[in-house]
Amino acid sequence: MSTSHPRTPSSRHAFACLSRRLGRLVSRFRRHRAIDDLPALLAHLGRRYAPLARARQTTLELDVDPAVAPDLTGAMDELGGVVGYLLERAIDVAAGGYAALQVDLVGETRTSQTVHLTVADDGEATTASDPKFLIPAATLAHLGGRLQIESGADFGTRVIVEMTFSMPRRVPHVDIEALRCTLGGQAALAEVIASLDHALSRDLADLDGLLAKAGSDHLQAWLHRVAGVLGMAEASGLAQVGLLLERDLANGRHEAIDRSVRDFGDDAAAILDLLREHRDSDRL
């Protein structure tokens, strides 16, 4: 049986105030229909909290890892409410000092990225048990994320919001002009495309049988081989996806990763169709 600690009237009042405050922040974000991806959210947070930081004479900085994909999507209203609440707190406690929002890529799969949004301040140290973090932590748990608190007298407080975002499926792309320039002309391009066609056609025809077999080693070898061919074809974005899938398979197979391998095969087939269109110089 689980037990809960009774709250005093004053603590219940503080908890209710925090809940209402976060709710108001979420409502404000819902009124901004343009906030449907992470860059839009970060831009809105900057516009909203820069004036507050100036009023508190607090230096506010934003630092975004360039490896974070520009089109991550998710529950941006709720996330904006949580991060906005944490930024308000950081600016308040660091009045006259420093506050920052740092966005870092910490994990990646074929269809998602895991990101840390860290709200840092150089104010007085706090603890993870501070009631101010209860509502944000509960909200993030509901969204599938989590909250981590790091604090110390020598560096202040770092509140880390960890979230996994979905990435839209990428449209396959191959840089035909780069390939033609690298090879030195159309005749060489046609010859290489014929070789790539032979290699990809053979591997793509084998995919159904490979997916039907148990284990991961054979799929990892297939992904490595196809990614290499795609790299030679200047389809570098899709080649990187193949290498990510090869890495993910090291943790074992499951239904979702099999679907991703199938999608990768379909995208490789689309690249092959594009290459075939450019084999004949009369079509250029």
Side-chain angles (χ1 to χ4, degrees):
M1 176 182 293
S2 62
T3 59
S4 59
H5 297 288
R7 294 195 181 98
T8 64
S10 60
S11 66
R12 285 197 298 269
H13 175 73
F15 193 81
C17 287
L18 289 174
S19 183
R20 287 195 296 271
R21 184 178 174 189
L22 185 55
R24 287 194 296 270
L25 287 171
V26 172
S27 297
R28 290 171 189 165
F29 276 90
R30 283 178 175 153
R31 289 199 293 268
H32 293 79
R33 296 301 180 187
I35 300 177
D36 53 9
D37 58 28
L38 188 58
L41 173 60
L42 297 176
H44 179 78
L45 288 169
R47 290 192 301 269
R48 178 168 182 79
Y49 291 104
L52 178 63
R54 286 195 296 270
R56 299 287 195 277
Q57 296 184 325
T58 301
T59 300
L60 178 62
E61 294 186 359
L62 172 64
D63 182 32
V64 182
D65 184 345
V68 175
D71 51 358
L72 298 180
T73 57
M76 295 300 165
D77 294 332
E78 290 82 357
L79 180 62
V82 169
V83 178
Y85 170 85
L86 296 174
L87 277 172
E88 282 190 11
R89 176 205 161 275
I91 291 169
D92 284 342
V93 301
Y98 166 87
L101 174 58
Q102 300 157 351
V103 185
D104 298 293
L105 177 65
V106 297
E108 188 172 28
T109 71
R110 165 77 166 93
T111 58
S112 68
Q113 285 191 338
T114 299
V115 173
H116 279 181
L117 297 99
T118 302
V119 179
D121 68 75
D122 62 354
E124 289 188 9
T126 185
T127 65
S129 59
D130 189 323
K132 291 181 179 179
F133 300 127
L134 291 176
I135 296 294
T139 302
L140 287 173
H142 176 71
L143 298 176
R146 64 181 183 133
L147 197 70
Q148 306 172 56
I149 314 295
E150 299 175 354
S151 192
D154 55 339
F155 65 88
T157 301
R158 291 164 48 86
V159 185
I160 303 169
V161 173
E162 182 176 294
M163 287 289 296
T164 297
F165 297 93
S166 298
M167 284 196 299
R169 188 173 174 183
R170 302 290 190 255
V171 176
H173 173 74
V174 56
D175 193 338
I176 291 292
E177 288 305 318
L179 187 58
R180 182 185 290 109
C181 290
T182 298
L183 296 172
Q186 179 60 32
L189 175 66
E191 183 177 340
V192 168
I193 288 177
S195 298
L196 296 174
D197 186 344
H198 178 71
L200 281 175
S201 295
R202 183 179 61 247
D203 274 322
L204 293 174
D206 292 341
L207 182 55
D208 286 336
L210 295 176
L211 286 170
K213 293 171 58 178
S216 301
D217 291 350
H218 58 286
L219 279 177
Q220 286 180 292
W222 182 89
L223 286 163
H224 191 84
R225 189 166 58 249
V226 172
V229 173
L230 291 170
M232 289 187 290
E234 295 292 341
S236 55
L238 189 56
Q240 181 62 29
V241 168
L243 296 176
L244 284 172
L245 281 171
E246 179 188 355
R247 184 199 66 188
D248 292 342
L249 275 170
N251 297 320
R253 285 180 64 179
H254 47 78
E255 184 178 348
I257 200 165
D258 277 10
R259 283 198 305 270
S260 294
V261 173
R262 165 61 65 195
D263 289 343
F264 173 77
D266 291 343
D267 288 345
I271 290 292
L272 182 54
D273 288 341
L274 181 60
L275 290 171
R276 287 167 175 161
E277 290 177 4
H278 289 81
R279 181 185 300 171
D280 187 347
S281 60
D282 292 338
R283 293 188 172 186
L284 299 180

